[in-house]
Amino acid sequence: MLLVSLPAFGIVYLYHNSGNLNWDLPKLPGFWNGFFIGSSIVLLIGQYFLFHQDLKKVGVDFSLFEKVRVYSKATVKRFFILFCISVLSTIGLLLNQGPVYIVVFAVCLVFFSLGKPSPDRLSRLLKLKKEDRELLREVTRPQ
C-alpha cells in the first residue's frame, strides 16, 4: 500500500514545490478542503483507537494462533485506513496545495512505520506469556 501512495505523493509534492509547472487544476472549494483535512485527521486519530479496540478483543484463553490472527486482521485494517489517508492527503495537496496535507501525510508515514509487525511489538501489545514470546521469536527467526 505504501508503494502505491508514496510515489504518487512524491510526484504531487514535487509539482507543488517546483512552482514552474502548471496543470491548470481547479482549486478545492472551502467546504471540500475542510472535508479532506477534517476526514484525514479524524481517520488518523480513529485508526489508532480502532486498532487498540480490536486488540482488546483478545481474551486470556485465546491460543497464540488466535491472538496472532486478531492482531493480523487489526493490522490489515489499520494499514488500509492509513492508505486511504495517504490518498486523501495526496489529492488534497494536488488540488489545494496546503501545507496541512504534507503534515498529515508525514504523520501517516510515521504510523505506517511504527505499525510494522515485529515479534517484540506483538508480544507487548498482546501481553504474551514468556513461552509464547519465545515461540514467536523462534518462528520469526530466519533459517
Side-chain angles (χ1 to χ4, degrees):
M1 292 182 190
L2 190 57
L3 288 175
V4 173
S5 62
L6 190 58
F9 187 83
I11 290 169
V12 171
Y13 179 76
L14 290 174
Y15 160 72
H16 169 67
N17 282 343
S18 70
N20 59 1
L21 292 175
N22 188 6
W23 289 352
D24 292 325
L25 295 173
K27 285 269 194 190
L28 276 177
F31 170 78
W32 288 108
N33 184 38
F35 175 77
F36 272 61
I37 292 172
S39 61
S40 296
I41 292 172
V42 166
L43 284 172
L44 268 175
I45 295 168
Q47 62 83 24
Y48 178 82
F49 288 111
L50 282 173
F51 178 73
H52 287 282
Q53 182 181 6
D54 287 346
L55 292 184
K56 287 181 183 177
K57 295 176 185 174
V58 174
V60 188
D61 57 338
F62 280 32
S63 69
L64 178 60
F65 178 76
E66 291 169 327
K67 289 178 180 180
V68 171
R69 189 167 32 108
V70 168
Y71 181 84
S72 172
K73 287 182 180 181
T75 302
V76 168
K77 184 194 310 184
R78 180 182 214 183
F79 282 171
F80 180 73
I81 294 171
L82 288 171
F83 174 72
C84 292
I85 295 166
S86 66
V87 169
L88 278 174
S89 60
T90 301
I91 293 170
L93 182 64
L94 179 66
L95 297 178
N96 194 43
Q97 298 160 353
V100 175
Y101 295 109
I102 298 169
V103 172
V104 167
F105 190 82
V107 172
C108 184
L109 286 180
V110 168
F111 276 113
F112 262 120
S113 177
L114 294 177
K116 181 182 70 165
S118 71
D120 291 330
R121 183 167 169 75
L122 270 146
S123 299
R124 181 177 49 83
L125 289 174
L126 296 176
K127 299 175 183 120
L128 297 178
K129 298 178 213 166
K130 186 174 181 173
E131 308 87 47
D132 289 341
R133 276 185 272 156
E134 293 301 321
L135 180 62
L136 192 61
R137 282 195 184 102
E138 284 296 319
V139 170
T140 57
R141 280 196 186 128
Q143 296 294 327

